[in-house]
Amino acid sequence: MFALVANQKVVIDWPCFWVVLGGSFLPRGVYTVLLFKMQFMLLFSRQGKLRLQKWYVPLSDKEKKKITRELVQTVLARKPKMCSFLEWRDLKIVYKRYASLYFCCAIEDQDNELITLEIIHRYVELLDKYFGSVCELDIIFNFEKAYFILDEFLLGGEAQETSKKNVLKAIEQADLLQENIDFQMRLFAAPS
């Protein structure tokens, strides 16, 4: 067992090591570990309506609103053919538009933008699998599920589980537990 630290060289001396998000095996050797910590994730519509926000750094509500307003305006002002990465303050902003929603993440300056794009894409895939072709209305009316899926996937701004199957299994188990609790509450509720 060892702890991975960003930009640290790691010697892999067992037969193979599963590469996070890459889905491939590496042979024995020395590799540089590229980890990242997301600062926050925002989901907003083309009209600029915030649909979901997850903050992994402590900020005041006033600062969060200011950041959200600035970023939404900045991203919406960009043309579709422009790059999905931009430098903003001391952070890198990585965003991707899926249908009518923008998924926007802030990462540290030295973090990898392509991994962040991959994480955004994996989150969209998870939402698609759960909702069956996710749309903005699914996020609006089931925002607690969207947050739960995000929490199963990312913990503290870092990917905690990269397997879609494992994340969906955990969500399915939570849904079954909730249905069980709801059933028991109805069953044992006092008649009025």
Side-chain angles (χ1 to χ4, degrees), residues 2-187:
F2 61 90
L4 296 178
V5 179
N7 300 322
Q8 174 185 4
K9 294 210 184 289
V10 174
V11 177
I12 298 175
D13 58 359
W14 54 91
C16 53
F17 181 76
W18 186 254
V19 180
V20 175
L21 292 173
S24 60
F25 287 97
L26 290 177
R28 296 175 189 199
V30 177
Y31 298 92
T32 301
V33 177
L34 297 174
L35 298 178
F36 77 103
K37 184 169 190 301
M38 190 179 299
Q39 302 294 305
F40 57 84
M41 178 184 271
L42 305 174
L43 270 68
F44 52 91
S45 68
R46 287 185 299 185
Q47 292 77 32
K49 300 261 189 210
L50 190 62
R51 299 301 182 201
L52 182 139
Q53 60 180 328
K54 188 70 174 184
W55 299 84
Y56 300 107
V57 291
L59 295 170
S60 68
D61 287 342
K62 185 177 180 181
E63 185 66 21
K64 288 178 184 178
K65 287 178 184 176
K66 183 180 177 191
I67 289 171
T68 302
R69 189 175 347 108
E70 284 181 33
L71 274 180
V72 168
Q73 289 174 351
T74 303
V75 170
L76 290 176
R78 293 172 63 89
K79 298 192 181 336
K81 297 282 185 188
M82 293 178 86
C83 179
S84 292
F85 314 136
L86 61 110
E87 291 186 11
W88 182 78
R89 296 187 183 178
D90 59 339
L91 299 171
K92 283 186 202 170
I93 304 301
V94 179
Y95 68 93
K96 180 84 172 132
R97 180 177 161 200
Y98 289 92
S100 63
L101 282 176
Y102 284 90
F103 292 72
C104 179
C105 298
I107 57 174
E108 294 289 326
D109 196 37
Q110 71 276 6
D111 290 338
N112 190 325
E113 304 93 344
L114 296 177
I115 290 176
T116 308
L117 267 181
E118 190 65 32
I119 284 177
I120 290 171
H121 186 69
R122 179 61 52 97
Y123 181 52
V124 172
E125 287 178 329
L126 288 166
L127 291 171
D128 262 348
K129 286 272 191 196
Y130 183 79
F131 292 112
S133 189
V134 68
C135 67
E136 187 176 350
L137 289 176
D138 291 323
I139 304 290
I140 293 169
F141 293 118
N142 300 297
F143 65 90
E144 67 283 342
K145 278 296 169 196
Y147 276 113
F148 185 74
I149 293 168
L150 185 60
D151 290 341
E152 281 296 318
F153 178 46
L154 296 176
L155 180 65
E158 298 175 359
Q160 75 166 346
E161 180 59 67
T162 58
S163 166
K164 284 188 281 189
K165 187 186 292 186
N166 289 349
V167 172
L168 293 169
K169 188 176 177 183
I171 294 163
E172 183 181 312
Q173 289 171 345
D175 285 347
L176 288 173
L177 180 65
Q178 184 64 45
E179 288 174 21
N180 225 353
I181 290 170
D182 291 345
F183 175 74
Q184 289 179 5
M185 294 296 282
R186 285 192 307 271
L187 189 64

